[in-house]
Amino acid sequence: MNPTPGTDSTPALRIIPRDQHIISRANISKAALRVLYRLHDAGYAAYLVGGAVRDLLLGLRPKDFDVATDATPDEVKKLFRNCRLIGRRFRLAHVVFGPEIIEVATFRGTGEEGGEGDRHIIDGRIVRDNIWGTIEEDALRRDFRVNALYYDISDFSVRDYVGGMQDLHDRVLRLIGDPEVRYHEDPVRMLRAARLAGKLDMRIDAAAAAPFESLGPLLADAAPARLFDESLKMFLAGNGLKSFRMLEQCGLLKFLFPATARALKRGDAALRSLVEQGLANTDARIREGKSVTPAFLFAVLLWGEVRDEARLGIERGLDGPEAWSRAAAKVVGEQCQRVAIPRRFTFTMEEIWSLQPRFEQVQRKRVFRLMAHPRFRAAFDFLLLRADESPAMRELGQWWAHAQRLPQDVLAAALPVLSGAAAAEAAPAPAVRKPPRPRRRRRKRSDSPAPE
Ligand code: ATP
Ligand code: MG
């Protein structure tokens, strides 16, 4: 049961006037301001809410701007031509300004006081989550206290119903209400705790962290598609490494990426370095405005398990490619039961993995064929992440980096046309640094992807 304002540990409403907080309209998107003003001018309550208020108060740039109002979605739609209503169970208005979407949500009630028979039917559908309420009720439905602050466009004050300002000051994430109840209502809140703690450099309150171990298994029942979205927010929003570390530290990784948790547990320093470096590189690319693909990141996260599975297959007598493709199918299949990674990404992941052994084949034809592969770049970046696996692997990465910088004819002249191990042994050309000797491969066959 949610607490009511002013009872238990939940403080009463505190209004922080404009001159006592740092939120300036200059830092709010123009689109969000237009939505707020239009609602306000039409006589509705209009607040910026959630992560945007939290981030602005912390001096950060919000990722998106959400608005809360007492106007119903239909009323919002009447005010904006560029508006579409979305969601069945949680009806929302999206006001669209080019690439920017402002999410406008009507204050939600708890539905408790209405009793059983008072569920709303809107547009002929029973929509249990669409019971409108007051701003106080809306605040109590939110997850963390720092996420329940409202910026009031009518006087530019911040309204704090649950003590979020204090938590921002203390840099702590506290859940609103009883943690066990709130996680049962929605287990994804556990992941949000880890993600936000990572992103905001905050600690998770002991009471909010205590149920992770016992309630983590509830994540198995969460919709895999939603967990995919949440994984993208964790790992592809610029704070991937911090989110990952927090997830692991909280003991939640094993519920979301069991294979990753297992491999890291038995794995070596090289695997940890691959995962952490992969996440750090992704964060850096996002900071530089470069594109990132979920496929690369999931390939990184699952690599340890795929590699170990493939080794096992080879030990049991499978040939290299067969062992690798079986290992990939098994690991991907298991992972997708938790996190619904779309097929187009799992396909790319499997390509990135299966190209790894081909980097060890440095005959002329094969080198050029590999360079022309549509996934060459991703697979090469992946190879570089494997540098800590062995000195030979590091050298291989350097060789390919160098080879790519050479003019085609110079590279062609430098490469052996022979095939197989003999080629690599026979002709380390002067213009190209010597590739790692295949001797290593023969001695420790299961140590790296077997050649085709
Ligand atoms: P981010 O910086 O990632 O956008 P956020 O807190 O804004 O973080 P959103 O998913 O954008 O996350 O959600 C906006 C707001 O909606 C939150 O701040 C919170 O108030 C509320 N909210 C989101 N998810 C939940 C949830 N699972 N349970 C309760 N409230 C939630
Ligand atoms: Mg947000």
Side-chain angles (χ1 to χ4, degrees), residues 49-55 62-66 103 147 192 195-196 199 233:
V49 67
V53 181
R54 176 199 69 210
D55 290 353
K63 185 163 61 68
D64 43 40
F65 291 87
D66 297 333
E103 203 165 276
N147 283 350
R192 286 178 54 83
R195 172 168 74 82
L196 292 173
K199 162 177 165 156
K233 284 194 192 178

Side-chain angles (χ1 to χ4, degrees), residues 245-304:
R245 284 183 174 156
M246 197 50 83
L247 203 63
E248 205 184 10
Q249 208 177 305
C250 290
L252 292 171
L253 182 68
K254 61 179 175 287
F255 300 116
L256 197 64
F257 290 94
T260 313
R262 274 198 306 266
L264 280 174
K265 211 166 166 190
R266 65 171 178 268
D268 40 21
L271 181 63
R272 178 160 297 278
S273 145
L274 173 121
V275 170
E276 299 221 334
Q277 199 54 52
L279 286 158
N281 292 357
T282 303
D283 289 343
R285 287 184 67 88
I286 291 167
R287 267 198 305 280
E288 293 159 17
K290 292 185 185 161
S291 66
V292 289
T293 163
F296 188 82
L297 204 76
F298 289 121
V300 164
L301 290 177
L302 299 177
W303 167 250

Side-chain angles (χ1 to χ4, degrees), residues 150-192:
Y150 296 72
Y151 171 81
D152 187 344
I153 199 64
S154 73
D155 61 3
F156 315 126
S157 66
V158 170
R159 299 171 81 90
D160 178 2
Y161 291 89
V162 293
M165 286 302 268
Q166 186 61 46
D167 289 0
L168 278 184
H169 180 265
D170 299 341
R171 300 198 79 88
V172 60
L173 289 171
R174 283 200 177 84
L175 272 168
I176 300 168
D178 176 54
E180 298 246 349
V181 173
R182 301 308 310 278
Y183 292 145
H184 270 285
E185 281 174 2
D186 181 6
V188 172
R189 288 173 182 151
M190 290 184 265
L191 300 179
R192 286 178 54 83

Side-chain angles (χ1 to χ4, degrees), residues 303 351-363 366-367 369-373 375-384 386 392-393 395-401 403-404 415 424 435-436 440-441 448-452:
W303 167 250
E351 282 185 312
I352 291 173
W353 294 329
S354 71
L355 289 181
Q356 295 306 305
R358 287 176 52 181
F359 282 105
E360 299 185 29
Q361 303 172 342
V362 291
Q363 311 89 305
R366 291 185 179 218
V367 165
R369 214 184 295 147
L370 185 52
M371 281 182 171
H373 193 284
R375 223 55 70 194
F376 171 76
R377 187 71 220 180
F380 168 68
D381 286 345
F382 197 92
L383 178 75
L384 294 182
R386 297 174 58 203
M393 197 53 74
E395 221 181 293
L396 190 64
Q398 288 165 352
W399 187 89
W400 277 91
Q404 287 171 75
L415 287 169
R440 193 186 67 86
R441 220 164 50 215
S448 57
E452 287 173 338

